[in-house]
Amino acid sequence: MKRFIEHQELARDRRFIRQANIAADLLATMPDDVNAVVDLFEKIGPVIEAGTRGTAAEPLYDRFGPAFTLMTLNEPIRPGEPGTEDRLKMRMHGIYVGELQALEGAGRSLWDFPDAPWEFKMNMARQCWDEARHVQIFEKLLEHVGGEVGMYAESTFLFEAACADDPALRVAGVNRALEGLACDVFRDNIEFAKQSDDELMEQSMDYVLADELTHVRFGSEWVAEFCKDDPERLKRARDFRRETDRRFNFGGARSNEEGAAIPIAWEDRKFAGFTEEELEDLAALGGEGPSRATMKQAIEILVSRFQAGSAIDEEVAS
Amino acid sequence: MTETRMYPGTGKDERTTFAPYSAFDIPQDLRELHGRYDVETTARRVRNFRYAEEWMMMMLGGWLATVPEVPVKTGLGKIIWEGARAADEFGKRLPELRCGKRAAESSEAGNQAFADFIQEVAAPETPDLSIEKLAGVFDVLKPHLLGLYERHMRETDQIADAPTIEILEDIARKTERHIAWGHEVLDRLCDTDAKRQRRHARQRELTELLEKSGGVTGELALDH
Ligand SMILES: [Fe+2]
Ligand SMILES: [Fe+2]
């Protein structure tokens, strides 16, 4: 078996539909400009549409057009609000496939780095078991909110963005950026579960969050260990993690701002070895790119243009 | 000439009234001293076992990404962790067997042929080869290890090498469970004659290689 694989090589059974996630990548480099966001999403509309065909997101695309991805990302999920049910299913599905990719990432760290220290292998092996349990937990939570595996397309961009060939960069990407994102999302979802009196979700997610903090800690400790005599390597690991985090901000959807769709889990992250300085930096990254207000405006324009276009199409057809 | 046994804390003329043994109904210790393996041999075998467990969990880790069946991915997650713990427990025994503190992290292939055999078990990689991947580990390698673990437990000095036996007992119990799981999965995956054929072919091919290598300790031929 070769060492290092591409994200296209991740194997799935036939329930899964694969989709390229160009939206998150492009958003990472977008300026804070309404027209730029509108142009971009109109341009990549066909790709977004293709990713929804044959999935539960198809009706959402038909109704809102390419902006539906932004709508699901940009606003926090609150119990009882319109669209919450669909967005919750989407989020659970997103977490489920994220856990699968985290499982695969941890497993590949065992195979890709055969000469790594034994303690590192123990940590990665433990992570394999934890992520395997998380996959099982989120399969159940997905059912709990009325969803099922394969109902939405899967983008493997988490694996793609986080996996690197240098073990220091790999743990920086997978264990600090990807797992850190998981902490943010889980903390937010635990709050959601509390507000909805959903004890089943609250408790199981809290256990998962405890595991994820352990994984982030593995990352914090191994980056330090791998780079202890090599400031150049430390810088590369830090830059890689920053770049990965920039992509995981989804155009500012994750940030430290009031009302962010995914707030940064500050205290949890500190517990897992993030320094105050790193967290400030992460918050600053979240502030780059389009603001929430920009996104909101862009969404309005995109939706009204899409709906106007659909109305014309219908007229022509009739 | 028989001197009365003294217990700690008692004076010379303060004799205990307890008879040393017979007053209690304790079954006689029937275990015999001396086993098939001396300290050095056991240490080498433990390093060999560790090598197999370590590589096995590493290859299973690599396959998580390339087996398409989700329940196989999640089932392997736990087996990987138990494999790592097995290797870790073997490692911790090594300093106790006079190998030095740093030996806890050392694995050693029984010989080059066994190292080559391990790479052959790890060779399949594409998603259509789940049968070949799992047959190598669950039909060939793990049953081979289980046989040797049981043999070591039977044949080593039952009292002097009891710490190795204790480690092996736990690992053997888990290995049995892994094999049962793997067989269940393989039985389901092999739902046509052609697939069953593939499984048996892989099994035959690897068993032959394994036997030629001399097995995990490199001395299978000598053992028989
Ligand atoms: Fe996880
Ligand atoms: Fe994790």
PDB file of all heavy atoms in Angstrom, chain A residues 99 102 127 131 134 179 182 211-212 215, ligand 2:
ATOM      1  N   GLU A  99     -16.688  13.530  10.376  1.00  0.00           N
ATOM      2  CA  GLU A  99     -16.161  12.510  11.283  1.00  0.00           C
ATOM      3  C   GLU A  99     -15.539  11.361  10.489  1.00  0.00           C
ATOM      4  O   GLU A  99     -14.494  10.835  10.867  1.00  0.00           O
ATOM      5  CB  GLU A  99     -17.268  11.964  12.195  1.00  0.00           C
ATOM      6  CG  GLU A  99     -17.844  12.979  13.175  1.00  0.00           C
ATOM      7  CD  GLU A  99     -16.853  13.406  14.252  1.00  0.00           C
ATOM      8  OE1 GLU A  99     -15.745  12.865  14.317  1.00  0.00           O
ATOM      9  OE2 GLU A  99     -17.195  14.309  15.029  1.00  0.00           O
ATOM     10  N   ALA A 102     -12.264  12.574   9.409  1.00  0.00           N
ATOM     11  CA  ALA A 102     -11.327  12.640  10.538  1.00  0.00           C
ATOM     12  C   ALA A 102     -10.813  11.236  10.863  1.00  0.00           C
ATOM     13  O   ALA A 102      -9.625  11.039  11.154  1.00  0.00           O
ATOM     14  CB  ALA A 102     -12.010  13.258  11.753  1.00  0.00           C
ATOM     15  N   GLN A 127      -7.289   7.910  18.440  1.00  0.00           N
ATOM     16  CA  GLN A 127      -8.167   8.800  17.682  1.00  0.00           C
ATOM     17  C   GLN A 127      -9.014   8.015  16.667  1.00  0.00           C
ATOM     18  O   GLN A 127     -10.172   8.340  16.435  1.00  0.00           O
ATOM     19  CB  GLN A 127      -7.346   9.884  16.982  1.00  0.00           C
ATOM     20  CG  GLN A 127      -8.224  11.054  16.560  1.00  0.00           C
ATOM     21  CD  GLN A 127      -7.442  12.183  15.920  1.00  0.00           C
ATOM     22  OE1 GLN A 127      -6.258  12.369  16.207  1.00  0.00           O
ATOM     23  NE2 GLN A 127      -8.089  12.926  15.055  1.00  0.00           N
ATOM     24  N   GLU A 131     -12.912   8.483  16.576  1.00  0.00           N
ATOM     25  CA  GLU A 131     -13.623   8.980  15.388  1.00  0.00           C
ATOM     26  C   GLU A 131     -14.601   7.917  14.876  1.00  0.00           C
ATOM     27  O   GLU A 131     -15.661   8.253  14.370  1.00  0.00           O
ATOM     28  CB  GLU A 131     -12.652   9.384  14.272  1.00  0.00           C
ATOM     29  CG  GLU A 131     -11.574  10.405  14.660  1.00  0.00           C
ATOM     30  CD  GLU A 131     -12.102  11.751  15.136  1.00  0.00           C
ATOM     31  OE1 GLU A 131     -13.326  11.946  15.208  1.00  0.00           O
ATOM     32  OE2 GLU A 131     -11.271  12.624  15.452  1.00  0.00           O
ATOM     33  N   HIS A 134     -17.514   8.362  16.843  1.00  0.00           N
ATOM     34  CA  HIS A 134     -18.219   9.588  16.441  1.00  0.00           C
ATOM     35  C   HIS A 134     -19.054   9.354  15.181  1.00  0.00           C
ATOM     36  O   HIS A 134     -20.165   9.857  15.066  1.00  0.00           O
ATOM     37  CB  HIS A 134     -17.233  10.736  16.194  1.00  0.00           C
ATOM     38  CG  HIS A 134     -16.454  11.116  17.422  1.00  0.00           C
ATOM     39  ND1 HIS A 134     -15.407  12.011  17.416  1.00  0.00           N
ATOM     40  CD2 HIS A 134     -16.572  10.694  18.711  1.00  0.00           C
ATOM     41  CE1 HIS A 134     -14.922  12.120  18.642  1.00  0.00           C
ATOM     42  NE2 HIS A 134     -15.603  11.330  19.442  1.00  0.00           N
ATOM     43  N   GLU A 179     -10.005  19.566  13.850  1.00  0.00           N
ATOM     44  CA  GLU A 179     -10.601  19.209  15.143  1.00  0.00           C
ATOM     45  C   GLU A 179     -11.038  20.460  15.895  1.00  0.00           C
ATOM     46  O   GLU A 179     -12.003  20.441  16.650  1.00  0.00           O
ATOM     47  CB  GLU A 179      -9.596  18.423  15.985  1.00  0.00           C
ATOM     48  CG  GLU A 179      -9.104  17.146  15.341  1.00  0.00           C
ATOM     49  CD  GLU A 179     -10.095  16.002  15.468  1.00  0.00           C
ATOM     50  OE1 GLU A 179     -10.872  15.994  16.427  1.00  0.00           O
ATOM     51  OE2 GLU A 179     -10.103  15.143  14.578  1.00  0.00           O
ATOM     52  N   ALA A 182     -14.287  21.375  14.641  1.00  0.00           N
ATOM     53  CA  ALA A 182     -15.277  20.472  15.239  1.00  0.00           C
ATOM     54  C   ALA A 182     -15.680  20.978  16.624  1.00  0.00           C
ATOM     55  O   ALA A 182     -16.860  20.991  16.976  1.00  0.00           O
ATOM     56  CB  ALA A 182     -14.710  19.056  15.327  1.00  0.00           C
ATOM     57  N   ASP A 211     -13.930  14.308  23.591  1.00  0.00           N
ATOM     58  CA  ASP A 211     -12.955  13.574  22.767  1.00  0.00           C
ATOM     59  C   ASP A 211     -12.197  14.538  21.851  1.00  0.00           C
ATOM     60  O   ASP A 211     -10.979  14.440  21.689  1.00  0.00           O
ATOM     61  CB  ASP A 211     -13.661  12.551  21.865  1.00  0.00           C
ATOM     62  CG  ASP A 211     -14.211  11.358  22.637  1.00  0.00           C
ATOM     63  OD1 ASP A 211     -13.733  11.104  23.753  1.00  0.00           O
ATOM     64  OD2 ASP A 211     -15.111  10.687  22.101  1.00  0.00           O
ATOM     65  N   GLU A 212     -12.941  15.446  21.236  1.00  0.00           N
ATOM     66  CA  GLU A 212     -12.307  16.344  20.261  1.00  0.00           C
ATOM     67  C   GLU A 212     -11.259  17.228  20.934  1.00  0.00           C
ATOM     68  O   GLU A 212     -10.215  17.518  20.360  1.00  0.00           O
ATOM     69  CB  GLU A 212     -13.333  17.224  19.542  1.00  0.00           C
ATOM     70  CG  GLU A 212     -14.425  16.467  18.790  1.00  0.00           C
ATOM     71  CD  GLU A 212     -13.921  15.510  17.709  1.00  0.00           C
ATOM     72  OE1 GLU A 212     -12.707  15.307  17.585  1.00  0.00           O
ATOM     73  OE2 GLU A 212     -14.778  14.936  17.009  1.00  0.00           O
ATOM     74  N   HIS A 215      -8.226  15.380  21.098  1.00  0.00           N
ATOM     75  CA  HIS A 215      -7.548  15.314  19.796  1.00  0.00           C
ATOM     76  C   HIS A 215      -6.822  16.617  19.481  1.00  0.00           C
ATOM     77  O   HIS A 215      -5.735  16.613  18.918  1.00  0.00           O
ATOM     78  CB  HIS A 215      -8.541  14.980  18.684  1.00  0.00           C
ATOM     79  CG  HIS A 215      -9.281  13.704  18.920  1.00  0.00           C
ATOM     80  ND1 HIS A 215     -10.438  13.381  18.280  1.00  0.00           N
ATOM     81  CD2 HIS A 215      -9.007  12.672  19.757  1.00  0.00           C
ATOM     82  CE1 HIS A 215     -10.864  12.204  18.709  1.00  0.00           C
ATOM     83  NE2 HIS A 215     -10.002  11.761  19.613  1.00  0.00           N
TER      84      HIS A 215
HETATM   85 FE    FE C   2     -11.589  14.218  16.524  1.00  0.00          FE
END
